[in-house]
């Protein structure tokens, strides 16, 4: 509240700019400092896990097992990220263990390794891979929305300069001026896509169809948003940011799932029951 009083009313007119200015990356509660992004990430994870209990039934997956799979994914991401961080500089960890462990360390390599571990766990529990991906697709949109809002409030992952009236000034920036609120663009995409995926999931769909739409649409949107986002340092002379490469991979994987989807088989066969038969065959294949 003291920070809000320090700013004139003229600076608090645009809603988006107000939030970006008044809420820095850390909330101070006495001597305690709570990272804003961490709060939003935690809320997003809880929301995604909660929603997974609703989507499990629609996807034909046991809700308890899907909850366990979600917890495995969360724990694996935390453990893998810390292990990779320690492996990168073991001497720093030996000198400042608590400081190193408190650093944000979720990388694309860590996410990929976490995905492999979750895949192995799903295979061990004999859960249908495509059905699990369908159930998780709307949940991923909840997490994406929460992380996007966290980035906006924290002032990270900001956009390129713009003259559009809804441009915002990133907290602490004195050079670029107004930039695209690309985090809020991502938030809108995640919410809209999440609603669409939920509606798709509530209707009978072949295994993997919801996941393929999520990967293709989300990948295209993420790639496009990357064009409006401030570039990050890439390895070598790469033309694209790491997030854009991930988006391309997502689109390719989604297209592969879509092509292999039983829906194409049901179209060719033209029989009203062919879709359910092919779904059962697909589930048996991935069990």
């Amino acid at each position: 509240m003291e920070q809000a009083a320090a700013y004139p009313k003229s600076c608090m007119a645009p809603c988006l700019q107000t939030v970006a200015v008044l809420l820095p990356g850390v909330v101070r509660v006495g001597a305690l400092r709570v990272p804003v992004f961490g709060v939003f990430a935690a809320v997003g994870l809880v929301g995604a896990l909660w929603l997974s209990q609703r989507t499990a039934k629609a996807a034909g997956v046991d809700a308890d097992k899907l909850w366990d799979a979600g917890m495995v994914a969360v724990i694996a991401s935390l453990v893998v990220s810390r292990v990779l961080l320690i492996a990168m500089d073991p001497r720093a960890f030996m000198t400042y263990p608590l400081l190193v462990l408190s650093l944000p360390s979720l990388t694309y390599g860590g996410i990929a390794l976490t995905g492999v571990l979750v895949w192995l766990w799903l295979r061990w529990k004999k859960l249908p891979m495509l059905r699990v991906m369908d159930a998780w697709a709307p949940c991923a949109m909840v997490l994406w929305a929460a992380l996007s809002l966290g980035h906006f409030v924290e002032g990270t992952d900001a956009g390129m300069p713009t003259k559009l009236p809804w441009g915002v000034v990133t907290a602490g920036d004195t050079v670029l001026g107004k930039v695209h609120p690309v985090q809020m663009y991502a938030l809108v995409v995640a919410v809209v896509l999440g609603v669409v995926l939920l509606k798709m999931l509530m209707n009978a769909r072949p295994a993997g169809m919801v996941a393929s739409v999520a990967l293709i649409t989300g990948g295209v949107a993420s790639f496009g948003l990357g064009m409006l986002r401030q570039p990050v340092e890439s390895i070598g002379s790469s033309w694209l940011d790491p997030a854009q490469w991930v988006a391309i991979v997502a689109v390719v994987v989604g297209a592969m799932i879509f092509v292999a989807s039983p829906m194409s088989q049901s179209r060719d066969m033209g029989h009203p029951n062919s879709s359910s038969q092919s779904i059962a065959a697909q589930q048996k294949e991935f069990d």
Side-chain angles (χ1 to χ4, degrees):
M1 295 301 293
E2 293 178 358
Q3 284 183 324
Y7 288 91
K9 292 184 179 180
S10 60
C11 295
M12 301 176 65
C15 179
L16 293 180
Q17 187 171 349
T18 301
V19 177
V21 171
L22 298 183
L23 292 177
V26 175
V27 173
R28 296 181 181 180
V29 183
L32 180 63
R33 296 184 178 183
V34 181
V36 172
F37 183 77
V39 173
F40 281 94
V43 172
L45 282 173
V46 172
L49 289 171
W50 175 85
L51 183 60
S52 70
Q53 298 301 281
R54 277 67 189 169
T55 59
K57 183 178 179 180
V61 180
D62 183 87
D64 291 335
K65 292 183 178 179
L66 191 64
W67 175 273
D68 292 340
M71 293 303 299
V72 168
V74 172
I75 295 173
S77 65
L78 293 175
V79 173
V80 168
S81 63
R82 295 301 180 268
V83 170
L84 292 178
L85 187 63
I86 295 172
M88 290 176 60
D89 195 342
R91 180 176 297 179
F93 173 71
M94 295 298 295
T95 307
Y96 308 103
L98 295 180
L99 178 61
V100 170
L101 292 177
S102 65
L103 293 174
S105 58
L106 189 59
T107 62
Y108 293 110
I111 294 174
L113 185 54
T114 298
V116 172
L117 294 176
V118 172
W119 177 78
L120 291 174
W121 192 90
L122 292 175
R123 295 288 293 180
W124 176 46
K125 292 296 182 178
K126 298 182 179 180
L127 288 172
M129 183 67 62
L130 293 182
R131 287 299 180 184
V132 169
M133 292 176 65
D134 287 339
W136 273 347
C139 308
M141 298 303 110
V142 172
L143 182 57
W144 188 13
L147 294 179
S148 299
L149 187 57
H151 277 302
F152 177 76
V153 172
E154 189 183 43
T156 55
D157 209 24
M160 297 291 288
T162 180
K163 295 182 179 180
L164 294 173
W166 56 81
V168 297
V169 178
T170 303
D173 176 57
T174 58
V175 178
L176 296 179
K178 287 188 175 182
V179 297
H180 281 284
V182 67
Q183 312 96 322
M184 301 306 291
Y185 299 163
L187 172 64
V188 173
V189 171
V191 171
V192 173
L193 184 54
V195 172
V196 172
L197 295 174
L198 275 175
K199 290 184 176 180
M200 288 183 62
L201 192 61
M202 295 307 166
N203 299 320
R205 300 287 179 180
M209 183 55 60
V210 176
S212 67
V213 171
L215 288 168
I216 295 173
T217 309
V220 171
S222 179
F223 187 91
L225 291 172
M227 296 297 184
L228 300 176
R229 190 176 290 113
Q230 294 178 21
V232 299
E233 294 183 4
S234 301
I235 299 176
S237 57
S238 178
W239 291 357
L240 303 175
D241 287 340
Q244 291 179 303
W245 287 112
V246 173
I248 292 175
V249 172
V251 172
V252 171
V253 173
M256 292 173 61
I257 295 175
F258 183 84
V259 171
S261 171
M263 178 174 286
S264 61
Q265 301 175 15
S266 63
R267 289 200 193 103
D268 295 339
M269 296 171 66
H271 192 279
N273 295 327
S274 59
S275 178
S276 59
Q277 293 172 355
S278 54
I279 289 175
Q282 190 81 353
Q283 283 183 306
K284 184 177 180 181
E285 178 183 351
F286 281 86
D287 281 346

